[in-house]
Amino acid sequence: KRLIQGNLSKAMTQDGASQFQEVIRQELELSVKKELEKILTTAPSHEFEHTKKDLDGFRKLFHRFLQEKGPSVDWGKIQRPPEDSIQPYEKIKARGLPDNISSVLNKLVVVKLNGGLGTSMGCKGPKSLIGVRNENTFLDLTVQQIEHLNKTYNTDVPLVLMNSFNTDEDTKKILQKYSHCRVKIYTFNQSRYPRINKESLLPVAKDVSYSGENTEAWYPPGHGDIYASFYNSGLLDTLIGEGKEYIFVSNIDNLGATVDLYILNHLMNPPNGKRCEFVMEVTNKTRADVKGGTLTQYEGKLRLVEIAQVPKAHVDEFKSVSKFKIFNTNNLWISLAAVKRLQEQNAIDMEIIVNPKTLDGGLNVIQLETAVGAAIKSFENSLGINVPRSRFLPVKTTSDLLLVMSNLYSLNAGSLTMSEKREFPTVPLVKLGSSFTKVQDYLRRFESIPDMLELDHLTVSGDVTFGKNVSLKGTVIIIANHGDRIDIPPGAVLENKIVSGNLRILDH
């Protein structure tokens, strides 16, 4: 009897607690709604509709954020994907290409995610405008690739850039220089959402401006926003009206993400006659990729699971290369008609990523984001394709930049390919220390980019500079201790060497 009473009172208090939480949640939603309405009244008339759409989108996301508690996946339900749901690229390639490749290409649109700034590499402005190879920027290389396709196959593949309010103005200025290229370029902006105070959960912004005090009050809500903002911009309907059927979406800083004709052919002419609405390119994990999102089977659907969604107790298991062998490259092929259908049914379901930030003044905020690949479970007949590592060549740091600027790669019509002189196809592991973080410091420390064809591993730390025509082979570790400086002399060949201490060219 006592046990029953105990359980009853426990249930009542639990029920009371959840009712209390529900009341608090409703009050919070009401407060946020009022704050957003206040912000909206400060929008100039020509921006009113646009701002209203953004704030409505944010409210929906915020509502879901308050509803969902705890990790968004139940670890017990995660299974390995069935064999046929992730196809090897070799099998796709073995089908060859049809004679009418031009008509297949004419159904394609290339979309590049161009919302990011170059701040992590010490640059102001859009990341896509950083020079990566022979004075060419990420954007230059992208335009060159698509122009080469259009000229080779006499097609009209357009380029669409998804900008953010951070990158839009600078990108549009630059676009004028491509007016004579054989590529139609469109842009649309992803949404602009208010950051929220971590304690009060209310928006930090007081009005719609993003200058002065409000500079840090807004953020672009991750690339999962592509579906809504592409649809809202009207560009989705325009492209469908022009007979386009698929978009190939990738990060603008992934230099391996070029249009692949074999994958496109597989989409347009599926072997079983049933078209895929969503294809995600995955590639095999190496030790460097343990944090990448992975494809799993979950409740009968393919599902992308990111590290942020994994319960703490299972993070090591998630990172293991043996259980989860592949990760998402964020190269995605998506049916335009399917995006339109799902957007109109409000049926695209993406997990919320809560990204905590600290503003310059020390205020702790959170921003709610979504990831484009997470929508895979909302599409019909989705597929993973396990592609070669060469399709994943992101430049996130100056260490990555050193690889793509070196003789490991040759550049042809905007595409980088691994040099045939490299004996094994893996990329060397390069770790440049904090003295190299900013692009301008990095460029100052290399008189010319070293020969890296036979390099396996390079670690550089401290005040180090490289003279002209240096050659690095095997494993090279160069460490200048605090207060010391190491100048690698011109023409030096370092093979399986550890260099430390103080080495000035004057000492030789």
Side-chain angles (χ1 to χ4, degrees):
K1 188 177 173 186
R2 206 175 275 156
L3 190 68
I4 290 171
Q5 276 177 333
N7 282 346
L8 255 176
S9 60
K10 194 171 160 191
M12 281 167 72
T13 52
Q14 274 181 342
D15 198 37
S18 64
Q19 275 181 344
F20 176 66
Q21 281 175 327
E22 179 59 23
V23 169
I24 286 182
R25 194 182 60 70
Q26 285 175 357
E27 284 186 357
L28 185 58
E29 285 216 45
L30 199 61
S31 303
V32 166
K33 181 173 181 253
K34 282 181 183 163
E35 289 291 315
L36 295 177
E37 282 167 357
K38 270 190 220 162
I39 292 171
L40 186 58
T41 61
T42 68
S45 55
H46 67 281
E47 279 179 25
F48 185 85
E49 277 309 311
H50 196 79
T51 308
K52 189 175 184 307
K53 273 183 183 168
D54 280 355
L55 296 180
D56 286 348
F58 173 76
R59 258 185 67 195
K60 279 184 198 159
L61 196 61
F62 187 73
H63 173 77
R64 277 182 49 214
F65 162 69
L66 291 181
Q67 297 282 7
E68 296 165 12
K69 284 283 167 272
S72 52
V73 291
D74 174 349
W75 193 253
K77 291 184 181 175
I78 286 181
Q79 298 167 307
R80 280 197 183 157
E83 284 300 303
D84 60 345
S85 67
I86 298 182
Q87 298 271 346
Y89 176 75
E90 290 65 38
K91 190 177 168 188
I92 306 283
K93 192 174 179 180
R95 294 184 59 212
L97 292 175
D99 297 335
N100 64 338
I101 195 67
S102 298
S103 62
V104 172
L105 262 172
N106 272 328
K107 305 282 188 200
L108 182 71
V109 177
V110 175
V111 180
K112 292 286 181 182
L113 305 171
N114 185 44
L117 293 167
T119 38
S120 63
M121 292 162 76
C123 294
K124 285 186 165 63
K127 186 173 182 184
S128 56
L129 307 184
I130 294 175
V132 274
R133 182 85 191 215
N134 313 350
E135 306 294 307
N136 287 304
T137 65
F138 291 105
L139 189 53
D140 291 336
L141 295 176
T142 302
V143 173
Q144 286 167 28
Q145 287 164 19
I146 301 174
E147 183 173 49
H148 178 68
L149 268 181
N150 285 336
K151 283 180 171 171
T152 307
Y153 297 100
N154 192 23
T155 50
D156 180 22
V157 176
L159 168 64
V160 172
L161 299 172
M162 177 166 91
N163 298 336
S164 67
F165 64 90
N166 289 319
T167 62
D168 188 52
E169 202 179 316
D170 289 343
T171 302
K172 280 182 174 159
K173 279 181 196 159
I174 292 289
L175 289 182
Q176 293 167 11
K177 79 171 188 183
Y178 306 117
S179 55
H180 302 299
C181 293
R182 190 171 160 175
V183 182
K184 267 192 207 151
I185 304 178
Y186 301 93
T187 66
F188 69 95
N189 268 13
Q190 63 187 113
S191 308
R192 184 167 77 105
Y193 284 0
R195 285 177 166 150
I196 49 184
N197 184 317
K198 196 177 176 186
E199 300 306 316
S200 68
L201 292 184
L202 294 175
V204 181
K206 295 291 167 250
D207 57 55
V208 292
S209 70
Y210 38 101
S211 55
E213 281 181 15
N214 255 0
T215 313
E216 296 186 301
W218 301 92
Y219 72 99
H223 41 55
D225 184 56
I226 184 171
Y227 304 105
S229 49
F230 196 15
Y231 178 83
N232 289 338
S233 71
L235 190 53
L236 180 74
D237 281 337
T238 303
L239 293 166
I240 290 174
E242 289 176 6
K244 305 299 182 190
E245 293 181 23
Y246 279 94
I247 48 174
F248 170 49
V249 181
S250 64
N251 298 353
I252 198 147
D253 64 5
N254 177 8
L255 294 176
T258 55
V259 171
D260 186 282
L261 300 176
Y262 298 101
I263 295 177
L264 180 61
N265 180 44
H266 186 83
L267 284 169
M268 299 293 295
N269 304 305
N272 61 358
K274 192 178 176 201
R275 282 195 178 183
C276 297
E277 290 187 347
F278 196 111
V279 163
M280 175 181 287
E281 293 185 35
V282 295
T283 193
N284 292 343
K285 266 190 190 180
T286 66
R287 298 272 168 225
D289 313 306
V290 290
K291 290 182 178 173
T294 193
L295 264 191
T296 59
Q297 172 91 345
Y298 193 90
E299 296 177 337
K301 287 266 198 175
L302 273 185
R303 178 154 173 171
L304 178 69
V305 176
E306 302 278 1
I307 195 161
Q309 296 165 254
V310 177
K312 281 197 173 59
H314 297 283
V315 165
D316 286 343
E317 193 183 340
F318 175 82
K319 285 182 175 179
S320 96
V321 180
S322 54
K323 182 165 183 181
F324 299 107
K325 295 185 165 62
I326 52 157
F327 72 96
N328 166 28
T329 62
N330 223 32
N331 300 347
L332 309 166
W333 304 75
I334 310 171
S335 153
L336 282 166
V339 172
K340 183 176 164 73
R341 180 189 81 236
L342 291 170
Q343 194 56 41
E344 287 175 349
Q345 294 169 353
N346 199 15
I348 295 182
D349 176 25
M350 295 171 282
E351 291 75 30
I352 295 174
I353 301 160
V354 180
N355 190 350
K357 297 263 181 190
T358 304
L359 303 186
D360 286 348
L363 181 70
N364 289 325
V365 296
I366 52 177
Q367 48 191 53
L368 306 178
E369 303 177 2
T370 53
V372 56
I376 187 168
K377 62 178 185 289
S378 303
F379 288 82
E380 293 300 315
N381 203 21
S382 300
L383 181 69
I385 297 181
N386 191 343
V387 296
R389 179 70 188 204
S390 56
R391 296 204 39 84
F392 184 67
L393 188 58
V395 181
K396 302 288 182 199
T397 62
T398 49
S399 302
D400 300 330
L401 196 54
L402 182 62
L403 292 169
V404 300
M405 287 177 124
S406 75
N407 60 345
L408 286 163
Y409 293 97
S410 55
L411 180 65
N412 181 20
S415 300
L416 290 181
T417 40
M418 177 81 71
S419 166
E420 287 173 4
K421 293 179 188 163
R422 173 115 174 134
E423 285 186 8
F424 28 86
T426 55
V427 178
L429 203 56
V430 171
K431 291 179 183 171
L432 299 177
S434 55
S435 309
F436 291 80
T437 304
K438 294 183 172 177
V439 172
Q440 63 215 52
D441 294 341
Y442 153 90
L443 291 170
R444 207 182 65 239
R445 292 181 176 277
F446 289 99
E447 275 195 58
S448 69
I449 303 295
D451 167 6
M452 292 165 44
L453 279 174
E454 293 175 46
L455 180 69
D456 300 322
H457 182 127
L458 172 68
T459 297
V460 184
S461 176
D463 186 0
V464 179
T465 63
F466 291 80
K468 274 201 162 86
N469 306 326
V470 171
S471 192
L472 305 171
K473 303 178 180 194
T475 297
V476 179
I477 298 170
I478 305 167
I479 297 171
N481 297 324
H482 187 67
D484 289 348
R485 175 170 159 186
I486 295 178
D487 293 329
I488 304 297
V493 177
L494 301 180
E495 183 165 6
N496 297 326
K497 276 268 192 303
I498 297 180
V499 182
S500 64
N502 208 6
L503 178 75
R504 301 297 302 273
I505 294 182
L506 304 175
D507 300 345
H508 292 280

